[in-house]
Amino acid sequence: MLPLVLGLLCLLGGRTARGQDATGSRFVCNAIPPGAEPGCGYGPTGNRVQSSSSPVEDELRNTIIQLRETILQQKETIVSQQGTIKELNSKLARCEAAADESSQSKSRGQGSRRKEYGKNTMGDLPRDPSEVIDQLGKTMQTLKGRLENLEQQSLRLPSTNVSAGSVSALTPLPPELRELLRQRLGALETQLLRKVAELEEEKSQLYNETAAHRQRTESALNSLLERITELEKSNNAFKSPEDFKVSLPLRTNYLYGRIKKSLPEMYAFTVCMWLKSSASPGIGTPFSYGVPGQANEIVLIEWGNNPIELLVNDKVAQLPLSVSDGRWHHICITWTTRDGFWEAYQDGERLGTGDNLAPWHPIKPGGVIILGQEQDVVGGRFDATQAFVGELSQFNMWDRVLRPVDIMGLANCSAYMPGNVVPWVDANVEVFGGASKAALEICEDRAFDS
């Protein structure tokens, strides 16, 4: 290539020296100054000589310029191909490293294989198996497309062999380089397929493990539900529906019991119950009945150092009762709207009476009976300082005043007379916030306390 260019430069740069000799015309080559544009018009000393150029010289000059541009383009293309080949070699090296790491992970057991699955061995692969497979397929297609582009570019590269005035031959990619690329791409494709197979196997194993874990979880939950059902049945399996107690062990505003039945309109009532408490100061509120517009319709409370009080329509009467010795006591309270007359019994004995407690006031219907808390609004807004601490049982209510003999029979366990308005049965009582129900035969337990 270089001798040809020099020959053309000599042919263009020389001045024509014509002489009349036997050999005919001859040409003389003169030196061209560095950086000067090749062509005619320079003397022996290198000075530019003004002369006219012929069409042949212009054509040759243009051919040389085209050859220079072609050489520069070919050099840039070769540099680009070298960069592409380096990039492919880098990709192949990373794939081979991933293959070695994958083969080593197989000997570490199932647990380590699951950890290797989370690693980014390809540099830019996602963690999800389906996304990994798609990404590998796209990478393979990209590499194949780049190889085809290289081959097409190699077919378009101009040859350095120049004929009389144009580019005639095309230089393909060297066969050894093409074969090397094919081998590397084949190895990469094999590696990718192996990786895809491993990911599919890992995905199947993860699915099986997930299904087994879900089955074990459902089995454990079913067993727990069965156990809870058994415990609920055992708690409700009292000898008789009335042989149970409600325990309220803490002075809080969230432990309480609730009577499901409400009260009708009443002009008299008797309420009886068994209590056991050692709380101090004051046992709290054994029960309260609130209606819309009057949260203190009926309340029995011992608050702080005050004596036990009975509230009817928020009117107060102090009762001469004392039950905070930690033993079971039977108490009964009677009230009638006529003159607001009331009576207080403890363990069958009447300890006090009074009148003018909300006289001529009828007990309003449709309210809520709460065990263990005083209501500031109907069914709620409890105050922990007024909460009952202890145990209670046999809460019964009648819409009349019981006779003293009937109350004595209830206190000494010689008579059984459930309330005609609110009877003490398991189905009528529900507990909340940690309060509990437990079996209790009150007469036997009271005898044991004595």
Side-chain angles (χ1 to χ4, degrees), residues 81 84 88 146-154 173 181:
Q81 288 181 348
T84 302
L88 291 174
R146 293 176 70 176
L147 179 59
E148 293 176 357
N149 291 336
L150 285 176
E151 292 179 349
Q152 293 176 3
Q153 290 178 7
S154 66
L173 198 67
L181 289 176

Side-chain angles (χ1 to χ4, degrees), residues 254-274:
Y254 54 84
L255 272 74
Y256 65 99
R258 177 171 178 158
I259 304 297
K260 295 181 180 179
K261 296 189 65 175
S262 185
L263 300 180
E265 186 178 49
M266 299 187 301
Y267 300 92
F269 68 81
T270 299
V271 57
C272 296
M273 70 194 78
W274 286 91

Side-chain angles (χ1 to χ4, degrees), residues 317-320 334 340-345 350-356:
Q318 294 184 346
L319 310 181
T334 70
F341 182 78
W342 58 268
E343 299 173 303
Y345 293 80
R350 186 170 67 178
L351 299 183
T353 63
D355 57 8
N356 202 33

